[in-house]
């Protein structure tokens, strides 16, 4: 782990295993941090905070720029490591490296542009100076599904803003995060500005940090269930929470859509990351008039996918992250079938080593099915029919989540009108990917608080200060 600029073991020498989900084979052992290790990381980021906040923004920008260059140069090394510990096919890992690196470049550019302004009070009696300053030491917690991009999305914005941080990666995928921390160090990261703590005891290590008072901000990406408990833990010390939580994306195909284009989009929105993405199309809502064509084409495409180890160049679908993920898929599919859905292809885990699940299409999924309400998080496409646009919008909004919605229609004006009625933080119109370092990524309702990326993302790490001047 990286604590105070040094690579260290856990103080009690404990470790845990990181395994390849495609084979179950051991990849590495990493330190299993104790509460004391977590507090040492907090100490270090607190000590480094004033110096980093005072560092010229150019210095912060150039560190991020050098890290960007290094990640791009080492693209293949990062991609192979992501595939090894997370399972996604190599082409997708390369795409994640490109996406993840982009946050370093974007925030290297944003770092030098912290906005402030000078105002005259309406009564003319005073001057109002408004400036932005780093919130202070941050705790950053990331999930396993995009091990590089979820880390760079937080770290780049935090460091650009002048904050120091303790980063805790998911235990399934700590190796990519450690490699990234190494890259930052080679790029000139001062000791303590970023600490990385790997542990199997996330609540035990993170709880005391949130209770301490010196951590001023929590940025969490993960499930809504864990997000809720962490928001509560932010209460006592009024730690500012940013939450990138779960999604239950509707993918609406209107009757006037270009069906082939919609199927292409559905393949991407559903199958990117084997469906293990918060942005994954969870509910395919298809107009009855185009449903047969859409379902047939989608089933054909899903059936033709090659499932295999992510490092195999033929592989288009890797394993799901673990046995629990596989079991959940089976339960959700069985529940939908019991409620009347029909399996077009797939429907079960694959025999043999690794946690592979067959690419699956279900038609006639009723809104009462569990998969209509919960994140599927796997290669299972669930189709539900609708008859008129109002019904589609009301089905789409019928969820506690509000991260992203997709819609396909040839009529752009109609598409924009529908977008205005969708209760989601992001809407993709005739597109299957919303992730972009230059855009404010994030959800409404129980999908999150705050935004990552874009001009907006850095604001989560900045406080406003207003100075009142006598005229
Ligand atoms: P998770 O179980 O919520 O875990 C996320 C991270 O939080 C892991 O590092 C986990 O470590 C840690 N954690 C769990 N309980 C904790 C606690 N009490 N205190 C501190 N840390 C704790 O989610 P996941 O299964 O890794 O990721 C999948 C979820 O992430 C999905 O719901 C997905 O939609 C969401 N996600 C959202 C976005 C977004 O931008 N909105 C992006 C990617 C993923 P342990 O595993 O050791 O518990």
């Amino acid at each position: 782990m990286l604590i105070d600029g040094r690579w260290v073991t856990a103080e009690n020498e404990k470790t845990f295993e990181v395994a390849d989900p495609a084979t179950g084979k051991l990849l590495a052992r990493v330190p299993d941090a104790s509460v004391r290790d977590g507090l040492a990381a907090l100490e270090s980021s607190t000590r480094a905070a004033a110096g980093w906040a005072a560092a010229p923004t150019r210095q912060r920008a150039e560190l991020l720029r050098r890290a960007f260059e290094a990640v791009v140069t080492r693209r293949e090394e990062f991609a192979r490591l992501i595939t090894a510990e997370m399972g996604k096919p190599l082409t997708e890992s390369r795409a994640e490296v490109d996406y993840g690196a982009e946050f370093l470049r974007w925030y290297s550019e944003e770092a030098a542009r912290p906005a402030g302004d000078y105002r005259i009070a309406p009564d003319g009696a005073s001057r109002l100076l408004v400036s932005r300053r780093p919130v202070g030491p941050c705790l950053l917690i990331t999930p396993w599904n995009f091990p590089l991009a979820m880390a760079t999305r937080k770290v780049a914005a935090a460091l650009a803003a002048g904050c120091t941080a303790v980063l805790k990666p998911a235990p399934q995928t700590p190796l990519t995060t450690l490699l990234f921390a190494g890259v930052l160090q080679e790029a000139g990261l001062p000791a303590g500005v970023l600490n990385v703590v790997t542990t199997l005891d996330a609540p035990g290590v993170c709880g005391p940090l949130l209770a301490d008072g010196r951590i001023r901000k929590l940025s969490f990406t993960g499930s809504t269930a864990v997000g809720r408990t962490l928001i509560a833990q932010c209460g006592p010390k009024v730690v500012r929470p940013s939450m990138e939580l779960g999604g239950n994306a509707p993918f609406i195909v209107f009757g006037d859509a270009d069906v082939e284009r919609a199927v292409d989009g559905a393949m991407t929105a559903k199958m990117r990351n084997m469906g293990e993405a918060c942005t994954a199309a969870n509910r395919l809502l298809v107009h009855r008039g185009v449903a047969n064509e859409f379902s047939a084409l989608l089933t054909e495409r899903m059936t033709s996918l090659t499932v295999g180890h992510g490092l195999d160049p033929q592989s288009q679908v890797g394993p799901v992250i673990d046995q629990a993920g596989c079991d959940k898929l089976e339960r959700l599919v069985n529940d939908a079938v019991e409620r009347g859905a029909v399996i077009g292809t797939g429907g079960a885990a694959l025999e043999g080593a690794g946690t592979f699940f067959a690419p699956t299409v279900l038609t006639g999924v009723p809104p009462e099915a569990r998969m209509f309400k919960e994140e599927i998080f796997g290669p299972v496409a669930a189709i539900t029919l609708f008859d008129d646009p109002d019904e589609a919008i009301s089905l789409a909004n019928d969820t506690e989540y509000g991260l992203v919605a997709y819609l396909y229609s040839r009529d752009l004006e109609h598409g924009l009108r529908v977008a205005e009625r969708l209760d989601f933080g992001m809407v993709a119109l005739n597109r299957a990917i919303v992730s972009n370092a230059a855009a404010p990524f994030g959800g409404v309702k129980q999908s999150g608080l705050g935004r990552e990326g874009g001009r907006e993302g850095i604001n989560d790490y900045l406080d406003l200060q207003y100075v009142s001047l006598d005229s």
Side-chain angles (χ1 to χ4, degrees):
M1 307 181 290
L2 183 65
I3 298 183
D4 208 26
R6 289 183 308 119
W7 294 100
V8 296
T9 54
E11 49 105 23
N12 55 17
E13 298 295 329
K14 276 195 181 169
T15 59
F16 65 90
E17 293 184 354
V18 183
D20 176 345
T23 61
K25 286 196 184 128
L26 176 70
L27 292 171
R29 300 191 69 90
V30 299
D32 186 2
S34 67
V35 177
R36 285 232 289 273
D37 293 315
L39 290 170
L42 168 61
E43 226 9 269
S44 166
S45 57
T46 307
R47 263 197 314 274
W52 188 242
T57 53
R58 269 284 172 246
Q59 183 185 328
R60 306 204 292 249
E62 280 163 13
L63 169 74
L64 294 173
R65 179 71 201 198
R66 287 193 296 276
F68 162 73
E69 307 280 354
V71 171
V72 169
T73 305
R74 296 168 72 171
R75 180 180 192 240
E76 203 56 22
E77 187 186 349
F78 270 103
R80 296 188 83 82
L81 190 56
I82 291 171
T83 292
E85 64 177 349
M86 188 273 166
K88 70 181 84 174
L90 209 42
T91 45
E92 291 208 39
S93 293
R94 291 187 186 115
E96 181 183 340
V97 178
D98 297 343
Y99 172 53
E102 202 49 44
F103 288 101
L104 297 166
R105 174 155 66 178
W106 177 261
Y107 283 112
S108 77
E109 292 160 349
E110 289 295 299
R113 295 176 179 73
D117 64 33
Y118 176 95
R119 308 171 196 175
I120 299 173
D123 63 4
S126 63
R127 300 291 180 266
L128 323 175
L129 271 66
V130 181
S131 63
R132 289 185 155 79
R133 41 200 273 156
V135 292
C138 304
L139 174 60
L140 313 176
I141 303 178
T142 53
W144 48 263
N145 61 347
F146 290 93
L148 179 65
M150 296 303 98
T152 57
R153 200 159 82 169
K154 296 187 190 309
V155 170
L159 268 50
C163 296
T164 59
V166 177
L167 169 61
K168 192 214 77 72
Q172 296 92 335
T173 58
L175 304 179
T176 306
T177 311
L178 292 170
L179 181 63
F180 168 52
V183 160
L184 271 172
Q185 240 201 345
E186 283 168 25
L189 180 79
V193 168
L194 178 70
N195 298 280
V196 180
V197 172
T198 53
T199 182
L200 278 185
D201 182 12
V205 170
C206 297
L209 267 55
L210 292 172
D212 179 276
R214 285 176 290 175
I215 287 288
R216 296 312 316 141
K217 165 154 198 75
L218 166 66
S219 177
F220 170 76
T221 298
S223 60
T224 296
V226 172
R228 285 187 195 110
T229 69
L230 288 171
I231 291 171
Q233 287 181 49
C234 285
K237 297 290 177 184
V238 195
V239 174
R240 263 173 73 176
S242 283
M243 295 279 145
E244 295 289 349
L245 307 177
N248 180 2
F251 183 102
I252 313 172
V253 183
F254 287 102
D256 70 340
D258 174 338
V259 174
E260 280 187 25
R261 189 172 171 189
V263 170
D264 274 346
M267 288 300 293
T268 304
K270 177 75 253 178
M271 293 304 287
R272 178 172 176 239
N273 229 38
M274 289 88 71
E276 293 172 316
C278 51
T279 51
N282 213 56
R283 299 169 291 153
L284 304 176
L285 307 176
V286 184
H287 188 268
R288 197 175 296 277
V290 292
N292 286 345
E293 188 187 354
F294 180 90
S295 306
L297 276 174
L298 186 74
T299 305
E300 195 184 308
R301 295 277 297 274
M302 290 285 274
T303 311
S304 70
L305 290 172
T306 306
V307 180
H309 194 296
L311 290 176
D312 176 348
Q314 309 300 320
S315 170
Q316 294 168 295
V317 185
V320 296
I321 190 70
D322 53 23
Q323 193 56 47
C326 229
D327 295 346
K328 176 184 173 191
L329 292 175
E330 219 145 44
R331 276 199 306 276
L332 289 180
V333 168
N334 292 342
D335 169 78
V337 169
E338 274 164 29
R339 294 174 198 267
V342 175
I343 297 177
T345 186
L350 300 179
E351 300 281 321
T355 45
F356 292 93
F357 200 90
T360 297
V361 177
L362 294 173
T363 52
V365 175
E368 304 75 53
R370 277 181 55 195
M371 64 171 60
F372 205 84
K373 301 180 175 66
E374 293 175 32
E375 285 189 289
I376 298 172
F377 240 59
V380 176
I383 299 177
T384 302
L385 304 194
F386 69 86
D387 288 299
D388 72 85
D390 283 345
E391 185 190 357
I393 293 165
S394 116
L395 282 170
N397 286 336
D398 182 19
T399 169
E400 66 192 23
Y401 295 104
L403 189 61
V404 56
Y406 304 86
L407 65 99
Y408 277 73
S409 167
R410 279 199 174 91
D411 180 347
L412 195 57
E413 209 183 309
H414 170 242
L416 286 172
R417 274 202 308 274
V418 172
E420 286 172 7
R421 293 174 59 196
L422 290 170
D423 300 331
F424 292 83
M426 301 176 287
V427 177
L429 185 42
N430 295 324
R431 262 190 72 77
I433 292 188
V434 287
S435 304
N436 190 314
F441 187 104
V444 299
K445 293 159 75 177
Q446 295 184 42
S447 283
L449 297 169
R451 292 294 181 270
E452 289 190 321
R455 283 195 308 277
E456 296 80 0
I458 199 167
N459 291 337
D460 280 19
Y461 297 92
L462 292 167
D463 274 330
L464 289 178
Q465 186 181 55
Y466 140 59
V467 175
S468 178
L469 266 185
D470 221 3
S471 289

Short mmCIF file of all heavy atoms in Angstrom, two decimals, residues 34 39 48 77 143 154 164 178 198 203 225 279 282 291 332 343 360 391 421 455:
data_model
loop_
_atom_site.label_atom_id
_atom_site.label_comp_id
_atom_site.label_asym_id
_atom_site.label_seq_id
_atom_site.Cartn_x
_atom_site.Cartn_y
_atom_site.Cartn_z
N SER A 34 -5.18 -2.60 8.58
CA SER A 34 -5.91 -2.55 9.85
C SER A 34 -6.42 -1.13 10.06
O SER A 34 -6.12 -0.22 9.27
CB SER A 34 -4.95 -2.90 10.99
OG SER A 34 -4.01 -1.84 11.10
N LEU A 39 -5.61 4.91 9.86
CA LEU A 39 -5.36 6.17 10.57
C LEU A 39 -4.00 6.77 10.20
O LEU A 39 -3.84 7.99 10.14
CB LEU A 39 -5.47 5.94 12.09
CG LEU A 39 -6.91 5.68 12.56
CD1 LEU A 39 -6.94 5.22 14.02
CD2 LEU A 39 -7.80 6.92 12.38
N ALA A 48 -0.02 16.54 4.77
CA ALA A 48 0.32 17.06 3.44
C ALA A 48 -0.67 18.12 2.95
O ALA A 48 -0.42 18.78 1.93
CB ALA A 48 0.36 15.89 2.44
N GLU A 77 -0.09 -2.35 -20.41
CA GLU A 77 0.17 -2.91 -19.07
C GLU A 77 -1.07 -2.73 -18.18
O GLU A 77 -1.52 -3.66 -17.50
CB GLU A 77 1.37 -2.17 -18.47
CG GLU A 77 1.89 -2.72 -17.19
CD GLU A 77 3.00 -1.83 -16.60
OE1 GLU A 77 3.50 -0.91 -17.30
OE2 GLU A 77 3.35 -2.05 -15.44
N PRO A 143 -15.36 1.14 -6.54
CA PRO A 143 -15.84 -0.24 -6.77
C PRO A 143 -14.89 -1.00 -7.70
O PRO A 143 -13.89 -0.44 -8.17
CB PRO A 143 -17.18 0.00 -7.46
CG PRO A 143 -16.94 1.22 -8.29
CD PRO A 143 -15.92 2.07 -7.54
N LYS A 154 -11.97 10.36 -9.50
CA LYS A 154 -11.95 11.03 -8.19
C LYS A 154 -10.60 11.70 -7.94
O LYS A 154 -10.54 12.87 -7.55
CB LYS A 154 -12.20 10.02 -7.07
CG LYS A 154 -13.58 9.39 -7.14
CD LYS A 154 -13.84 8.53 -5.92
CE LYS A 154 -15.10 7.71 -6.08
NZ LYS A 154 -16.30 8.45 -6.47
N THR A 164 -5.82 16.62 -0.56
CA THR A 164 -5.11 15.36 -0.40
C THR A 164 -6.15 14.27 -0.18
O THR A 164 -7.33 14.57 0.08
CB THR A 164 -4.15 15.41 0.80
OG1 THR A 164 -4.93 15.70 1.97
CG2 THR A 164 -3.10 16.49 0.61
N LEU A 178 -3.13 0.25 -7.39
CA LEU A 178 -1.76 0.35 -6.89
C LEU A 178 -0.81 0.73 -8.03
O LEU A 178 0.11 1.54 -7.84
CB LEU A 178 -1.34 -0.97 -6.23
CG LEU A 178 -2.10 -1.28 -4.92
CD1 LEU A 178 -1.83 -2.70 -4.45
CD2 LEU A 178 -1.74 -0.28 -3.81
N THR A 198 -5.35 -0.78 1.04
CA THR A 198 -6.12 -1.95 0.59
C THR A 198 -6.55 -2.73 1.82
O THR A 198 -5.74 -2.92 2.75
CB THR A 198 -5.25 -2.84 -0.32
OG1 THR A 198 -4.01 -3.14 0.34
CG2 THR A 198 -4.94 -2.14 -1.63
N PRO A 203 -15.62 -1.38 6.29
CA PRO A 203 -16.29 -0.59 7.34
C PRO A 203 -15.35 -0.30 8.50
O PRO A 203 -15.34 0.82 9.03
CB PRO A 203 -17.44 -1.50 7.79
CG PRO A 203 -17.60 -2.53 6.73
CD PRO A 203 -16.29 -2.67 6.04
N ALA A 225 -27.10 0.78 -1.49
CA ALA A 225 -27.25 0.30 -0.11
C ALA A 225 -26.07 0.77 0.75
O ALA A 225 -26.26 1.29 1.86
CB ALA A 225 -27.33 -1.23 -0.11
N THR A 279 -24.27 2.23 -15.52
CA THR A 279 -24.98 2.80 -16.67
C THR A 279 -25.62 1.72 -17.54
O THR A 279 -26.21 2.05 -18.58
CB THR A 279 -23.98 3.58 -17.55
OG1 THR A 279 -22.86 2.73 -17.80
CG2 THR A 279 -23.50 4.86 -16.88
N ASN A 282 -30.78 -1.54 -18.08
CA ASN A 282 -31.36 -2.57 -17.21
C ASN A 282 -32.73 -3.02 -17.70
O ASN A 282 -33.13 -4.15 -17.53
CB ASN A 282 -31.47 -2.03 -15.79
CG ASN A 282 -31.28 -3.08 -14.72
OD1 ASN A 282 -30.26 -3.74 -14.70
ND2 ASN A 282 -32.26 -3.24 -13.86
N ALA A 291 -41.25 -4.32 -31.78
CA ALA A 291 -40.72 -5.26 -30.78
C ALA A 291 -40.22 -6.56 -31.40
O ALA A 291 -39.16 -7.07 -31.03
CB ALA A 291 -41.80 -5.56 -29.75
N LEU A 332 -32.42 -13.77 -10.56
CA LEU A 332 -33.24 -12.76 -11.25
C LEU A 332 -33.89 -13.35 -12.50
O LEU A 332 -35.05 -13.06 -12.80
CB LEU A 332 -32.37 -11.55 -11.62
CG LEU A 332 -31.91 -10.65 -10.47
CD1 LEU A 332 -31.05 -9.50 -10.99
CD2 LEU A 332 -33.10 -10.08 -9.68
N ILE A 343 -37.36 -16.93 -22.29
CA ILE A 343 -35.92 -16.86 -22.60
C ILE A 343 -35.72 -17.00 -24.11
O ILE A 343 -36.12 -18.01 -24.71
CB ILE A 343 -35.15 -17.98 -21.86
CG1 ILE A 343 -35.27 -17.80 -20.34
CG2 ILE A 343 -33.68 -18.00 -22.28
CD1 ILE A 343 -34.61 -18.89 -19.51
N THR A 360 -27.81 -13.39 -22.33
CA THR A 360 -29.21 -13.81 -22.21
C THR A 360 -30.16 -12.72 -22.71
O THR A 360 -29.92 -11.53 -22.46
CB THR A 360 -29.50 -14.09 -20.70
OG1 THR A 360 -28.68 -15.18 -20.29
CG2 THR A 360 -30.96 -14.40 -20.44
N GLU A 391 -46.81 5.92 -21.56
CA GLU A 391 -46.61 4.67 -20.80
C GLU A 391 -45.10 4.40 -20.65
O GLU A 391 -44.63 4.02 -19.57
CB GLU A 391 -47.30 3.52 -21.56
CG GLU A 391 -47.27 2.21 -20.83
CD GLU A 391 -47.74 1.05 -21.70
OE1 GLU A 391 -48.14 1.29 -22.87
OE2 GLU A 391 -47.66 -0.10 -21.23
N ARG A 421 -38.81 14.97 -19.62
CA ARG A 421 -39.74 14.33 -18.67
C ARG A 421 -39.12 13.13 -17.95
O ARG A 421 -39.79 12.48 -17.13
CB ARG A 421 -41.01 13.91 -19.40
CG ARG A 421 -41.81 15.13 -19.89
CD ARG A 421 -42.99 14.70 -20.75
NE ARG A 421 -43.91 13.82 -20.03
CZ ARG A 421 -44.83 13.06 -20.63
NH1 ARG A 421 -44.96 13.11 -21.95
NH2 ARG A 421 -45.62 12.30 -19.92
N ARG A 455 -16.67 20.47 -16.08
CA ARG A 455 -16.27 21.63 -15.28
C ARG A 455 -16.81 21.51 -13.87
O ARG A 455 -16.26 22.02 -12.92
CB ARG A 455 -16.81 22.92 -15.92
CG ARG A 455 -16.05 23.40 -17.12
CD ARG A 455 -16.42 24.83 -17.45
NE ARG A 455 -17.86 25.03 -17.56
CZ ARG A 455 -18.56 24.76 -18.67
NH1 ARG A 455 -17.95 24.30 -19.73
NH2 ARG A 455 -19.87 24.94 -18.73
#
